[in-house]
Amino acid sequence: MVARAEGILRLLIVDDSLTDADGIINTLRQAGHAVRAAREDSPAALEQLIANQTWDLLICRDSVANLAPNDITALLQRLGKDLPCIILVNEKESESQFFASSAQDIVTFGDNHRLQFAANREIQNLFMRRLGRRNERALRESEKRSRALLESSRDAVAYMHEGMHIYVNQAYLRIFGYEEAEDIDGLPMLDLVSADDHHKFKAVFREFSEKTESDPVDIVAQCVRADGTGFNAKIEFSHSRVEGEDCTQVVIHDDAAQAHTVDDSQLKLLRDHDLLTGLYNRARFVDELEKTVFQAVEGNGNAQLLYLVLDDFQSIKEQVGLGTSDIIIKSVAELLRKHLKDSEVLARYGDQVFTLIIPGHDDAKIDERAEIYQQAVRDFVSHVNGKSIDIKCSIGIARINENHSAAGTVLENADKACTQAQHAGGDQIARFQLAQGSEQEETESSEQWKKRLQKGLQEDKFLLHYQPIVSLHGQEQELYEVLLRLQLIENRLIQAGEFIEHAINLEMMADIDKWVIRKAVEVLSEHRHQFPRTRFFIKLSEQSLHTNDFVDWLCATLDAHNLNGNALVFEISETMALDNLEQARGVVAKLKQIGCEFGLEHFGSGLDFSNSLNALNVDYLKINGAFVENMARDTENQAAVKAIIEMTKQANKHSIAEFVSDANSLALLWRLGVDYAQGYYIHEPSDKLDYDFEDDNL
C-alpha cells in the first residue's frame, strides 16, 4: 500500500454510472487503498467539490455529457489545484485526443492493472510534493525562530562582512544607543571603537580574519555610543555564515554590565528552563536541535529525535483538574530524567509533550532507548481521589542526518510519526519513514507572482469578500470577516490561500494588509450609514506586526473615513502570535488604545493553548476549524472544542467556531455554549454585505 499521511485515499470520480464508479472504487481497494470516494456528473457541483475539499486523486470518464476531460483538467488549472487526474477512455483509439491535456495518465476503461499502477504512482508523487511543501514551510519557521532567539538575547550580537555591519540584535542597538537597525546597517565596526584603540583593533581583527578556521578571539577596547560617550568593553570575534556567506560574529560584553553577572546567569537559567519541570523549555530545545542538525549536516555525527506525547491527557486533565495535572507532568518529567544519559538532551516542548535528542544512527539502539522511556511512563500510576490514573505515551522517532537542513523539518517528521502511533491506538512507538522516488512539482516563478501581486495592488485587482459571524450565545452584533480574493485574467478569482505564501516570501504582505484595510474601511464607512452596528474582522500578517508605523497609519486611515477604532477587530493566528510574542503584545496594546479589539484565529493549534490566554490580552478566540469541521462525528474534536469553550469562559473571552459545515455541528456548538459561529453552512463568503442578522432561523 502506498504510504500516505492520512492513510485514506480521498477519491473523486466523474462518471454518470454508479455501477462503473463502484467498479473503479473496488479496483483501487484491491490495490490496498482505504478509499473514501465521491461521484459527480454535474459541472457546477464538481467545481464546488474541487474548490472546497481536499482530494488525492481524480478519475474521469470520457463519456460524461457536459464534462469533457479537457474541460476538467482546465478546471483544475484554473482553480490552482494540485490534484492528479487520470482519464478513463472507452476506446484505446480515443487516447490521442487527450494527449494535449494536463492529465497525468490515460487508461482504457477495464484495464484494471494499468489503473492500479497509474493510481499508485500518482498518489505517491502527490504525497512527495505535499511533503516537500511542508518541509519548506518547516525550514522557514526554523529560520524565523532562530532570528527570534537572537532578537531576545541579552547579549549584544552583530554580524559583519568585510568590517561592515549586516545584522545587529536589539541588545546591540541598546548598548550603543541606537534606535533602529537602519541607523547602524552598513556602518563600519571601526566607527564604534575609540580612535585611541583603532590600531589595536585593526591588528587583532586582521590576524583573526586571515585564518578562516581560527578559534574565537577577544579584545578589550574603548567603545563609543551614538551620543559620543564611551565605555569599556570586551569584543569577541568568531567565524560564522549568514545566508551562505562567510562573515564574522561579534559579541560585545560591557564592563559595566559584568557587575550583574550573577543576576544574568539566573535570568538565563529561567529563560532556558521550564518553570514546572526544570527541564529545557521549547525555545532552548529548538536551539539545541538546531546545533545537532548543523553538526549532522556538516558530517559530525547523526542523532535521532524522540517526540513523546502523553496519550489522552486532555481527558485526564478534565478528570483531575489543572493543579493535579501539573503534578502529574512534573512527576513524569522526573521519571524521564532518571533514565536520561549524559549525551542526551531532554525538554518539555509543550503541555504534554516531551522531546529528546539521542546521538547515534543505530535504529535498534534508539528504539531500545525509546522503549525505556515509554516503559518509565507506563509504570507510573497516579492516585487521585481514590481513583487510579494510568499514564501512557506515544513516541514518534525521526532521524537527524545530512539530509535535514532545519530543525523544523525534523520536528515535523517526529510529530507525524507520533500522530501515526496515536492513530494506531496509542501507547506505541512509530518511526518516520520517508517515501522514495518522485520529483517535486514545478512551480511558477516568484517573479511571475511578484508581477501579479504588484498589479493587484496598483490596479485594484484584489477584491474583498465578506462572511458573517453570527451570535449563538454572545452579544448580538453585526460581524463580518473580511476575506481577500485576487482577480486574474478572464475575471477568474483565486482565494487567498493560493497566493498568500508567495506574498509572504516576496515580503509584500504589509502592503497587501494596508490595501485590505484601506478598502475595508472605505466600504464599512459607507455601509454604517444604514447599518451603524456593523464591524469587520480583518486578518493581520506577521510582516505588519513588524511595521513600526502601522498603528499611526491606521489611525490616519480611520480618521479620513470618520471611523473609530471600535469598528475593527484584528486577528492573527495563535502560532504566529506566540512566535512573535513581544511584537504581538506591543501591537495589541496599541490597537486597544485606539479602541480596536483583537482576536486569535486557529486557536488550539498550539501545544499548550492555555499559555496563549496568559500571554496575550485578546478579546476573541477563534477555535481551530480542524476541530470544528465535522465535529459531530468525531468525539476527540468534540472534547477539544468543549475544553476551549470552557477555558474562554473562565478567561472572560468570546469564543468563535469557524468552519461550521453542517447542522449537527451547529447544534452541538449551541449545546456546548460557543458565543459565535461562522462557516459555509451558515453563509458562504460573498462580495455583498447582505446577511440578515435579525433572522434567528439557523
Side-chain angles (χ1 to χ4, degrees), residues 191-209:
D191 287 4
L192 303 181
V193 178
S194 169
D196 294 339
D197 286 331
H198 277 190
H199 179 74
K200 179 171 60 171
F201 179 90
K202 289 179 180 178
V204 173
F205 185 66
R206 185 184 302 112
E207 182 179 358
F208 167 78
S209 301

Side-chain angles (χ1 to χ4, degrees), residues 431-565:
R431 179 178 294 280
F432 178 80
Q433 299 291 343
L434 183 63
Q436 298 297 319
S438 84
E439 297 181 357
Q440 291 188 1
E441 66 178 339
E442 294 183 1
T443 57
E444 293 182 276
S445 70
S446 346
E447 191 58 35
Q448 288 176 299
W449 274 106
K450 184 176 182 180
K451 290 179 181 178
R452 285 179 179 176
L453 297 173
Q454 287 177 337
K455 186 176 182 179
L457 292 170
Q458 296 165 3
E459 301 180 15
D460 277 348
K461 293 296 184 182
F462 287 111
L463 295 174
L464 298 184
H465 279 205
Y466 313 92
Q467 187 172 38
I469 301 172
V470 301
S471 172
L472 296 184
H473 294 284
Q475 177 185 354
E476 291 295 334
Q477 300 187 69
E478 296 181 5
L479 303 174
Y480 288 94
E481 177 166 10
V482 177
L483 303 170
L484 186 61
R485 304 289 186 261
L486 176 60
Q487 181 176 312
L488 297 183
I489 58 174
E490 300 176 353
N491 293 323
R492 178 164 69 88
L493 293 182
I494 62 174
Q495 298 186 17
E498 299 181 49
F499 60 80
I500 286 297
E501 283 296 324
H502 299 286
I504 292 172
N505 294 337
L506 292 166
E507 297 186 354
M508 296 180 65
M509 278 309 303
D511 290 333
I512 291 175
D513 282 353
K514 286 186 176 180
W515 187 96
V516 170
I517 294 168
R518 187 166 53 246
K519 183 65 67 174
V521 166
E522 178 183 322
V523 171
L524 183 59
S525 176
E526 180 67 26
H527 183 76
R528 280 169 68 115
H529 289 316
Q530 185 175 357
F531 301 95
R533 295 193 304 161
T534 303
R535 303 170 71 207
F536 280 172
F537 274 67
I538 300 178
K539 291 181 173 64
L540 205 57
S541 72
E542 179 180 349
Q543 290 169 18
S544 288
L545 288 182
H546 293 271
T547 302
N548 294 329
D549 65 346
F550 170 73
V551 178
D552 292 337
W553 172 87
L554 175 64
C555 290
T557 303
L558 289 170
D559 289 343
H561 292 85
N562 296 316
L563 284 180
N564 295 321

Side-chain angles (χ1 to χ4, degrees), residues 237-444:
F237 301 118
S238 58
H239 291 290
S240 185
R241 290 178 69 84
V242 173
E243 297 180 354
E245 293 288 338
D246 290 326
C247 64
T248 303
Q249 177 181 279
V250 180
V251 181
I252 307 292
H253 301 281
D254 183 358
D255 282 353
Q258 297 306 309
H260 303 287
T261 300
V262 174
D263 291 339
D264 286 349
S265 64
Q266 292 174 344
L267 287 172
K268 187 176 187 302
L269 184 67
L270 292 173
R271 188 172 66 240
D272 289 348
H273 292 78
D274 176 59
L275 295 179
L276 177 64
T277 64
L279 302 177
Y280 280 159
N281 58 21
R282 178 174 181 162
R284 176 58 188 272
F285 180 78
V286 171
D287 189 30
E288 293 295 323
L289 184 57
E290 286 284 4
K291 294 176 184 176
T292 306
V293 169
F294 177 76
Q295 290 172 354
V297 171
E298 294 296 310
N300 296 324
N302 293 337
Q304 302 202 26
L305 171 65
L306 271 60
Y307 194 92
L308 186 155
V309 178
L310 301 183
D311 293 332
D312 202 22
F313 194 72
Q314 185 63 42
S315 298
I316 294 174
K317 186 184 291 187
E318 291 177 1
Q319 291 179 49
V320 303
L322 184 60
T324 303
S325 68
D326 281 349
I327 294 174
I328 293 174
I329 289 286
K330 186 175 181 180
S331 301
V332 169
E334 291 172 355
L335 284 173
L336 296 176
R337 198 190 333 244
K338 287 180 180 178
H339 295 279
L340 190 69
K341 291 186 176 181
D342 291 340
S343 58
E344 299 173 351
V345 178
L346 171 64
R348 185 189 181 200
Y349 191 75
D351 187 13
Q352 69 267 28
V353 182
F354 297 89
T355 44
L356 295 108
I357 300 172
I358 302 179
H361 60 85
D362 188 325
D363 289 353
K365 292 183 179 178
I366 301 297
D367 289 345
E368 182 180 336
R369 295 295 299 147
E371 290 168 2
I372 289 173
Y373 285 115
Q374 183 187 42
Q375 191 61 46
V377 176
R378 190 184 289 149
D379 291 342
F380 173 73
V381 178
S382 176
H383 296 279
V384 180
N385 297 329
K387 295 182 179 180
S388 177
I389 304 295
D390 293 329
I391 307 294
K392 301 288 191 300
C393 71
S394 296
I395 300 178
I397 305 176
R399 296 179 181 85
I400 306 170
N401 54 38
E402 66 275 8
N403 293 321
H404 299 108
S405 57
T409 303
V410 180
L411 279 164
E412 186 172 356
N413 292 345
D415 183 20
K416 280 171 60 69
C418 185
T419 301
Q420 178 185 341
Q422 289 179 311
H423 287 172
D427 192 26
Q428 297 191 36
I429 298 172
R431 179 178 294 280
F432 178 80
Q433 299 291 343
L434 183 63
Q436 298 297 319
S438 84
E439 297 181 357
Q440 291 188 1
E441 66 178 339
E442 294 183 1
T443 57
E444 293 182 276

Side-chain angles (χ1 to χ4, degrees), residues 582-595:
E582 291 306 315
Q583 290 87 351
R585 281 174 173 163
V587 171
V588 170
K590 290 179 180 178
L591 290 174
K592 283 181 169 291
Q593 286 178 358
I594 65 172

Side-chain angles (χ1 to χ4, degrees), residues 136-152 167 286 290 406-408 501 504 541-543 545-546 573-581 583:
E136 287 174 5
R137 287 196 297 270
L139 173 60
R140 290 194 294 271
E141 286 298 315
S142 175
E143 291 172 344
K144 183 174 65 178
R145 289 192 182 97
S146 297
R147 178 62 65 93
L149 286 171
L150 271 176
E151 286 300 323
S152 63
Y167 168 80
V286 171
E290 286 284 4
E501 283 296 324
I504 292 172
S541 72
E542 179 180 349
Q543 290 169 18
L545 288 182
H546 293 271
S573 73
E574 178 191 16
T575 51
M576 186 214 298
L578 294 179
D579 286 342
N580 301 270
L581 189 54
Q583 290 87 351

Side-chain angles (χ1 to χ4, degrees), residues 610-677:
S610 61
N611 181 53
S612 306
L613 289 175
N614 297 327
L616 287 162
N617 180 24
V618 298
D619 306 283
Y620 296 89
L621 299 170
K622 269 194 170 182
I623 304 170
N624 189 342
F627 296 143
V628 177
E629 197 169 20
N630 299 321
M631 61 177 287
R633 296 189 293 273
D634 191 320
T635 56
E636 291 185 5
N637 284 356
Q638 288 179 29
V641 171
K642 179 181 178 182
I644 293 173
I645 292 173
E646 290 176 352
M647 188 179 299
T648 57
K649 290 184 181 300
Q650 292 173 5
N652 293 320
K653 311 294 184 186
H654 304 295
S655 57
I656 302 174
E658 55 183 356
F659 293 3
V660 179
S661 58
D662 58 79
N664 290 335
S665 294
L666 184 62
L668 186 55
L669 288 167
W670 172 275
R671 290 198 298 272
L672 293 177
V674 76
D675 294 316
Y676 300 92

